[in-house]
Amino acid sequence: MDTKQSTALLHALAELPGPLPARGVIHIAIRHTDRFTVVGNDLAQHPGLSTTAVGFAVRIQSLPQGTEVGIKALAARFPEGEKLIAAALRELEAHGYLQRARTRLPNGRIVTRTVFCNQPAALLRPRVAAALPQQAPAAPQVTAPVPASVPAPARGPALAQAPARGPAPAPAPKPERHAPEASAPQASAPEAPIPEASTPQDHAPLVPLVPPPTAPKPPRPPLPQPRELTPELERISTALLSDLHHHSPEFTLSEEHVHRLVPGVAAWLERDTRPDTIRHALTTNAPEPVKYPYQFVKHRLTVLLPPPPHRTTVTPFQTCDGCERAFRAPTPGHCRDCRTGHAHEDQQAAA
């Protein structure tokens, strides 16, 4: 029996139109004609309900009116135990799908009445249907001319009344001139009352059927470049990238990819980063497997680029040409005391 069902599924799968997904579930939907229950996705895919609670909700929804759905009644009907059924009913009750209340019958007997709602969220929305009965008089004007199978004699009085509205009486041959036009109102008759119709959609908020376009993604930052790609930096960068597959086989790069990534590694080396540190930053905590090693290495070289080193300028020591004392200055010359003494002597000489 299982073999026949599997063969039937394979035949049905081969008859599905269009390309099929490479992974995941593939639905073979056969329309039900009898013994079926409509289940909404808000219940079937409810994130807060367990699979057991969803299953019992579907089972309760499929039962006819008046069927006992207590814990013992469900345990006698289905293979699950009473504890599991009780926990599932509590979940449904907590999320508003089920309500159990004790009611006293006219004969004085107290019974538990169970109410199940297949879409409890709809009960909290503002009901549009409550405003529709006020517009009930306009409904006959919309529905009367809509059927296309109305016999021709029914349209005769309507056509005869049109000339009667004028000031002069209608002559006898008047209906003959309107007879060829009798077929035209059949196509245009429903169009006149439609703008006057009031439907629930007129009162409901407009929901866009097409999602708004997503914002364009910002361009990816370019690969960092060194200030000067010297032959030494190029040699060390090429050796580091070519040796990555010895430390992690997933980082096997082609010769072209190595040539493209050399400037990024050189920019790291130019910032006083050791080759071991670069190799560790590129290969540590990588996803398994690395499908595109070139893109992955390029991304990490760009995103994890270290800041440039902070270099402090140290003023060198100089020997004073006058007193031979040591002092800090960018160029050789006189110290501050000697410069002050020379300035005082120049002032006296000028005086």
Side-chain angles (χ1 to χ4, degrees), residues 257-274:
H257 289 167
V258 170
H259 179 71
R260 294 181 182 178
L261 295 174
V262 161
V265 179
W268 282 58
L269 294 173
E270 203 175 46
R271 302 191 177 199
D272 296 342
T273 309
R274 296 175 57 85

Side-chain angles (χ1 to χ4, degrees), residues 163-304:
R165 296 174 185 174
K174 202 74 168 183
E176 297 179 359
R177 287 187 291 177
H178 286 273
E181 301 177 359
S183 59
Q186 294 180 1
S188 59
E191 298 179 0
I194 285 179
E196 303 176 0
S198 178
T199 58
Q201 287 79 1
D202 298 337
H203 302 273
L206 297 178
V207 179
L209 301 180
V210 180
T214 56
K217 295 183 179 179
R220 295 183 179 180
L223 186 71
Q225 300 291 327
R227 290 176 296 179
E228 182 182 359
L229 184 59
T230 61
E232 184 66 15
L233 288 177
E234 185 175 3
R235 182 187 63 81
I236 299 175
S237 302
T238 304
L240 188 147
L241 292 170
S242 303
D243 191 58
L244 283 179
H245 70 279
H246 290 114
H247 300 271
S248 181
E250 297 181 348
F251 288 89
T252 302
L253 301 172
S254 63
E255 182 178 359
E256 181 182 359
H257 289 167
V258 170
H259 179 71
R260 294 181 182 178
L261 295 174
V262 161
V265 179
W268 282 58
L269 294 173
E270 203 175 46
R271 302 191 177 199
D272 296 342
T273 309
R274 296 175 57 85
D276 294 342
T277 305
I278 300 177
R279 186 182 301 109
H280 183 269
L282 296 180
T283 58
T284 303
N285 296 329
E288 296 181 2
V290 180
K291 295 183 179 180
Y292 306 101
Y294 166 72
Q295 297 291 347
F296 183 80
V297 173
K298 180 181 178 182
H299 174 74
R300 288 206 167 183
L301 285 175
T302 306
V303 176
L304 303 180

Side-chain angles (χ1 to χ4, degrees), residues 22-319:
R23 61 181 63 185
V25 65
I26 300 174
H27 292 283
I28 299 178
I30 301 174
R31 184 179 298 275
H32 292 278
T33 57
D34 58 349
R35 293 179 52 80
F36 65 92
T37 302
V38 178
V39 179
N41 284 340
D42 54 344
L43 173 62
Q45 301 178 8
H46 198 290
L49 290 176
S50 63
T51 306
T52 305
V54 173
F56 274 103
V58 174
R59 286 180 166 179
I60 294 174
Q61 188 175 345
S62 66
L63 296 175
Q65 293 269 66
T67 305
E68 294 290 338
V69 291
I71 297 176
K72 294 186 178 297
L74 293 176
R77 180 184 293 268
F78 304 115
E80 288 78 7
E82 294 185 4
K83 292 185 177 180
L84 188 61
I85 294 175
L89 295 183
R90 284 195 297 269
E91 287 186 50
L92 296 175
E93 195 169 4
H95 288 84
Y97 286 93
L98 190 72
Q99 183 179 3
R100 293 176 289 187
R102 291 184 175 272
T103 305
R104 184 183 297 274
L105 299 179
N107 58 2
R109 182 185 175 187
I110 298 177
V111 296
T112 300
R113 176 175 293 177
T114 303
V115 180
F116 182 86
C117 179
N118 63 340
Q119 195 177 359
L123 300 177
L124 304 178
R125 302 171 187 167
R127 296 189 179 182
V128 182
L132 296 180
Q134 301 177 1
Q135 304 171 358
Q141 299 178 6
V142 180
T143 56
V146 169
S149 60
V150 177
R155 301 176 183 266
L159 296 174
Q161 291 176 4
R165 296 174 185 174
K174 202 74 168 183
E176 297 179 359
R177 287 187 291 177
H178 286 273
E181 301 177 359
S183 59
Q186 294 180 1
S188 59
E191 298 179 0
I194 285 179
E196 303 176 0
S198 178
T199 58
Q201 287 79 1
D202 298 337
H203 302 273
L206 297 178
V207 179
L209 301 180
V210 180
T214 56
K217 295 183 179 179
R220 295 183 179 180
L223 186 71
Q225 300 291 327
R227 290 176 296 179
E228 182 182 359
L229 184 59
T230 61
E232 184 66 15
L233 288 177
E234 185 175 3
R235 182 187 63 81
I236 299 175
S237 302
T238 304
L240 188 147
L241 292 170
S242 303
D243 191 58
L244 283 179
H245 70 279
H246 290 114
H247 300 271
S248 181
E250 297 181 348
F251 288 89
T252 302
L253 301 172
S254 63
E255 182 178 359
E256 181 182 359
H257 289 167
V258 170
H259 179 71
R260 294 181 182 178
L261 295 174
V262 161
V265 179
W268 282 58
L269 294 173
E270 203 175 46
R271 302 191 177 199
D272 296 342
T273 309
R274 296 175 57 85
D276 294 342
T277 305
I278 300 177
R279 186 182 301 109
H280 183 269
L282 296 180
T283 58
T284 303
N285 296 329
E288 296 181 2
V290 180
K291 295 183 179 180
Y292 306 101
Y294 166 72
Q295 297 291 347
F296 183 80
V297 173
K298 180 181 178 182
H299 174 74
R300 288 206 167 183
L301 285 175
T302 306
V303 176
L304 303 180
L305 179 67
H310 181 68
R311 303 181 185 276
T312 57
T313 304
V314 179
T315 306
F317 281 100
Q318 307 290 344
T319 302

